[in-house]
Each structure stands twice: as structure tokens, then as C-alpha cells.
Amino acid sequence: MTDIQKKIDAMFKLTKKLPNFDFSKSGCRVEFVSMNDPYHSLERGSKGTIIYIHNSDPMSRVLVIEWDNGHQISLIEGKDNYHITPKEESK
């Protein structure tokens, strides 16, 4: 079991009864395209793995990502630009 899978499993155990945590895309790979934040440190093409999606409110879902380069930056669905590779394609 990889470190990322261990992190996903631990988060799932802690939050599985909370309705605002979505694990349906956990383990999927994501490629960063752009965001409207001048202070972000991701480069176009950076890749990472989705840990979970936090439904913080009905208008925004936040993708919590473990970036390959070690950055700790989440993406906002509908505001940031990225590509998700489904689990079966990311193996």
C-alpha cells in the first residue's frame, strides 16, 4: 500500500460519516492547468493525486490533492483549471 493510499484510507475512516467529504475520486490523478491566484506556486502540467473532495458549501467543491512536487495547494471545482485522469487510466 502506497503512502498516498494510506492517507486516503485514514481520511476515509475519520470522515466517512460526514456528508461533506466525497471519496469517489480519491486516487485519481490530476494535472494542473491554471488558477486565478497570483500567489500559487504550481507550474502548468504539475501532477498530483486526489485525496478527497470537500463539499465546503453548495457552490464550491474543493479538491484536496497530494502534489508530486510536495506542494499543499487545493483546487476549486469550477474556478481552477485542471484535468482529472480516471483511476483505471492512471495505473
Side-chain angles (χ1 to χ4, degrees):
M1 182 180 290
T2 66
D3 288 341
I4 291 177
Q5 189 58 50
K6 288 178 187 174
K7 192 175 284 189
I8 291 169
D9 289 347
M11 285 302 301
F12 180 74
K13 287 176 185 172
L14 288 171
T15 61
K16 66 183 174 184
K17 294 184 180 176
L18 300 174
N20 51 343
F21 289 87
D22 176 0
F23 287 87
S24 64
K25 294 187 180 183
S26 295
C28 290
R29 298 287 290 165
V30 64
E31 181 177 348
F32 175 75
V33 177
S34 66
M35 67 172 38
N36 201 13
D37 176 357
Y39 302 106
H40 76 82
S41 55
L42 288 173
E43 294 182 20
R44 184 182 185 98
S46 294
K47 294 183 178 170
T49 303
I50 297 173
I51 304 300
Y52 62 90
I53 300 172
H54 185 242
N55 300 309
S56 52
D57 67 54
M59 299 304 289
S60 66
R61 290 167 36 100
V62 177
L63 284 73
V64 177
I65 299 166
E66 178 88 10
W67 293 99
D68 295 351
N69 59 12
H71 288 287
Q72 301 288 323
I73 299 172
S74 297
L75 298 175
I76 301 172
E77 201 172 73
K79 294 192 183 226
D80 298 323
N81 298 305
Y82 53 88
H83 300 290
I84 294 177
T85 304
K87 290 178 195 176
E88 58 274 0
E89 292 178 27
S90 61
K91 292 182 181 176

